[in-house]
Amino acid sequence: MIKVSVMYPNSSDANFDIEYYCNIHFPLVVELLGDTLKGTNADFGLAGGAPGEMAPFIAIGHLMFDSVESFQNAFGPHAEKIMADIPNFTNTQPQIQISEIKI
Amino acid sequence: MIKVSVMYPNSSDANFDIEYYCNIHFPLVVELLGDTLKGTNADFGLAGGAPGEMAPFIAIGHLMFDSVESFQNAFGPHAEKIMADIPNFTNTQPQIQISEIKI
C-alpha cells in the first residue's frame, strides 16, 4: 500500500480555510479518484515538538492507493481540476510525499 | 484523536537504517508508550510530487493518542530514552508535527 501525503506548509502569513477543505476540496478529490482510493485521512496541525512551536504543516491530506501506478492512473486525468481548486482555500503551495506504508 | 508525526527530512547526505527503525526503534517506542498509544504506522519516502523529485521525508512515524495531554503524559517519562536511540539509525534530526485527525 502507498500513501500520497499532500502537506501544506505553515508560516506566519499562511492562510487555510479548513471548512472549505473539509466540505468541498476533500470530497471533490475523493469523488474524482473513485474506487482506486483505498483510504483517506486529513490532519490539522496543532503544534510542533517544542513548547510554543508552530506545527510545520497547517494541514496534511493522506490518500492511500494499492500502488504508485494506480495513484498516477487515477490522479492524472483529474490533476488539473484538483490543483485549480487549491487557491480557493489556501495561499500555500503543498509539498507532496509519496510513501510506502511499511508498518 | 491526535497524531504525533515524527518526520525525518530527506537530503543527499541523510542516512537512515530502515531495518533498525522497524525492528528496534519502533517496537521500543510502542513498548514504552504502552496502552495510551491508540494506533501507529510508519511511512517510507518513495518520491516527491514532480518526476525525479526526492520525497521530502525519508521516513515518517505516526503515533495516535486520545489527546495531546495523554501523549505528553506517556512520552515525558521516556523522552530521553527514545531520543537517545535516534542516532543509532539516522544522522537526521526529526521534525515533530502534532495534529488533530479531522477526517
Side-chain angles (χ1 to χ4, degrees), chain A residues 44 46 57 97-98 100, chain B residues 43-44 46 57 97-98 100:
Chain A
F44 291 89
L46 295 172
F57 298 98
Q97 164 106 8
I98 302 177
E100 181 191 356
Chain B
D43 305 331
F44 291 89
L46 294 173
F57 297 98
Q97 164 106 6
I98 302 177
E100 181 190 357

Side-chain angles (χ1 to χ4, degrees), chain B residues 11-58:
Chain B
S11 70
S12 54
D13 62 352
N15 59 52
F16 193 96
D17 182 340
I18 290 182
E19 294 308 309
Y20 186 101
Y21 180 84
C22 290
N23 298 321
I24 298 176
H25 183 72
F26 206 81
L28 171 77
V29 171
V30 169
E31 188 196 332
L32 291 175
L33 299 184
D35 288 345
T36 45
L37 203 48
K38 298 305 175 195
T40 61
N41 96 265
D43 305 331
F44 291 89
L46 294 173
E53 196 180 58
M54 254 184 353
F57 297 98
I58 303 181

Side-chain angles (χ1 to χ4, degrees), chain A:
Chain A
M1 185 87 83
I2 67 114
K3 183 190 281 182
V4 177
S5 300
V6 184
M7 308 185 296
Y8 299 88
N10 213 346
S11 70
S12 53
D13 62 353
N15 59 51
F16 193 97
D17 181 340
I18 290 182
E19 294 308 310
Y20 186 100
Y21 179 84
C22 289
N23 298 322
I24 298 176
H25 183 71
F26 207 81
L28 171 77
V29 171
V30 168
E31 189 196 332
L32 291 175
L33 298 185
D35 288 346
T36 45
L37 203 47
K38 298 305 175 193
T40 60
N41 98 266
D43 305 331
F44 291 89
L46 295 172
E53 196 180 58
M54 251 183 356
F57 298 98
I58 302 181
I60 308 177
H62 302 285
L63 307 169
M64 277 67 95
F65 299 88
D66 283 332
S67 65
V68 173
E69 193 179 12
S70 145
F71 154 65
Q72 286 168 335
N73 290 340
F75 184 73
H78 306 293
E80 202 174 331
K81 188 167 185 179
I82 291 172
M83 305 297 275
D85 191 41
I86 293 178
N88 292 328
F89 60 89
T90 184
N91 63 347
T92 68
Q93 287 287 330
Q95 290 180 37
I96 308 293
Q97 164 106 8
I98 302 177
S99 301
E100 181 191 356
I101 303 177
K102 187 128 177 162
I103 302 181

